Amino acid sequence: EERKRLEKSVAELQEKVIRRREELSKLKLNQEKQAEINLPETMIYEQLLGFKIEGLKDDILKFVFQNIDSKDTKRLFYIVLNVSERLYKVEETNPSLPELELNDALQEFNSSRDLTRFLKNIRIAFKKLT
């Protein structure tokens, strides 16, 4: 009886493993399909807006701007944002932005959660530096 119970338990576990593998396979396929869609859209934004987003590690995003400096349109400007907590934090900017201007933009972003406005304010701040 014990052997039958264990065999049944093993069979149930094997079925669960098979189902999980199928689920993972479906998820992977869906991610690949979404990546195929995202890549062309992302490239359009990068080309038209001179802007891209990079994931540095979990909850750390780097927003890279181009075409800000009229004397050097290829010059890169960036801001690194930590989004791991409710209140986001700026980890780094290049070039450095005035602290007051950066804090104002970040405070507004943390209260409104309007990413578009935040990035626009940061782009304007970088533009002022040139």
Side-chain angles (χ1 to χ4, degrees):
E1 269 184 46
E2 180 68 17
R3 183 175 182 185
K4 286 181 183 179
R5 187 182 66 75
L6 290 174
E7 287 175 349
K8 182 180 177 185
S9 179
V10 166
E12 288 172 357
L13 288 173
Q14 286 176 335
E15 286 178 29
K16 284 183 180 180
V17 167
I18 290 169
R19 281 196 304 266
R20 293 291 170 124
R21 284 185 178 155
E22 289 172 354
E23 289 174 12
L24 286 173
S25 177
K26 287 178 185 177
L27 284 172
K28 185 177 180 182
L29 184 62
N30 286 340
Q31 285 178 334
E32 289 171 359
K33 286 180 182 178
Q34 187 63 44
E36 288 174 6
I37 294 169
N38 290 349
L39 185 60
E41 289 179 4
T42 303
M43 290 175 68
I44 289 171
Y45 283 115
E46 287 179 17
Q47 290 172 353
L48 294 177
L49 301 177
F51 169 78
K52 70 178 174 178
I53 303 171
E54 299 174 4
L56 299 182
K57 51 185 170 178
D58 285 348
D59 300 324
I60 305 290
L61 299 173
K62 181 178 183 180
F63 299 92
V64 183
F65 302 88
Q66 247 182 267
N67 204 15
I68 290 179
D69 187 346
S70 59
K71 295 175 185 164
D72 181 7
T73 58
K74 299 289 183 193
R75 181 178 172 197
L76 298 180
F77 296 74
Y78 67 84
I79 183 168
V80 177
L81 195 61
N82 182 332
V83 295
S84 64
E85 298 177 11
R86 186 184 148 351
L87 294 178
Y88 301 152
K89 297 176 194 157
V90 173
E91 300 284 324
E92 178 183 0
T93 67
N94 186 29
S96 295
L97 291 172
E99 193 171 328
L100 182 61
E101 197 167 358
L102 182 60
N103 287 340
D104 287 346
L106 185 61
Q107 186 176 9
E108 180 184 333
F109 178 45
N110 277 322
S111 64
S112 71
R113 295 293 192 215
D114 187 345
L115 180 62
T116 304
R117 176 187 265 162
F118 174 71
L119 293 174
K120 182 179 178 183
N121 289 339
I122 294 301
R123 187 175 193 96
I124 290 168
F126 282 140
K127 185 77 173 165
K128 287 179 187 177
L129 292 178
T130 64

